[in-house]
Amino acid sequence: MTISEAQQKVDHWISTTGVRYFSELTNMAILTEEVGELARIMARTYGDQSFKEGEDPSALAGEMADVLFVLICIANQTGVDLTQALEQTLQKKTSRDANRHKNNPKLR
């Protein structure tokens, strides 16, 4: 699935199952919540925290997908073409950071 197809599928789901988009501000709050849930899994899987009883260590992919879903909702609501935006970001990072990471002694 391309990013554009994902944006279309999310929009279709919203219009057929989700009734309508939540407000942009509500979706921003939901995105923050979902990123927090992803951070919790990351901290327990790759960091120093341990899982609490009942927490699912295999939830990483689902939490990432939740973040992506809400981000796509926000993009759709605000008219952002995520394919174009990602291409522009990659171009910006490529030109800005062409030698930055290669010359960073911390990355050796």
Side-chain angles (χ1 to χ4, degrees):
M1 173 185 335
T2 66
I3 297 171
S4 178
E5 289 169 341
Q7 284 192 253
Q8 292 171 15
K9 284 186 177 196
V10 167
D11 191 63
H12 181 263
W13 185 91
I14 292 293
S15 65
T16 60
T17 304
V19 180
R20 66 171 180 80
Y21 285 96
F22 295 133
S23 71
E24 295 86 349
L25 185 55
T26 296
N27 273 335
M28 187 63 225
I30 293 169
L31 178 61
T32 302
E33 178 184 359
E34 295 296 352
V35 169
E37 292 173 6
L38 174 59
R40 184 182 64 246
I41 297 294
M42 293 293 293
R44 284 158 172 67
T45 302
Y46 301 102
D48 300 321
Q49 289 188 328
S50 60
F51 282 94
K52 296 176 186 174
E53 189 174 324
E55 287 184 322
D56 183 5
S58 66
L60 183 62
E63 295 300 344
M64 287 182 179
D66 289 347
V67 168
L68 183 58
F69 180 87
V70 180
L71 183 62
I72 289 171
C73 286
I74 294 169
N76 286 350
Q77 290 176 277
T78 58
V80 171
D81 177 334
L82 284 173
T83 299
Q84 181 182 28
L86 182 58
E87 287 173 350
Q88 290 172 346
T89 293
L90 286 169
Q91 289 173 0
K92 174 185 73 177
K93 288 182 174 292
T94 299
S95 63
R96 181 189 67 198
D97 300 331
N99 294 308
R100 179 173 160 231
H101 299 301
K102 292 176 188 175
N103 296 330
N104 183 348
K106 296 178 185 178
L107 297 178
R108 292 193 179 131

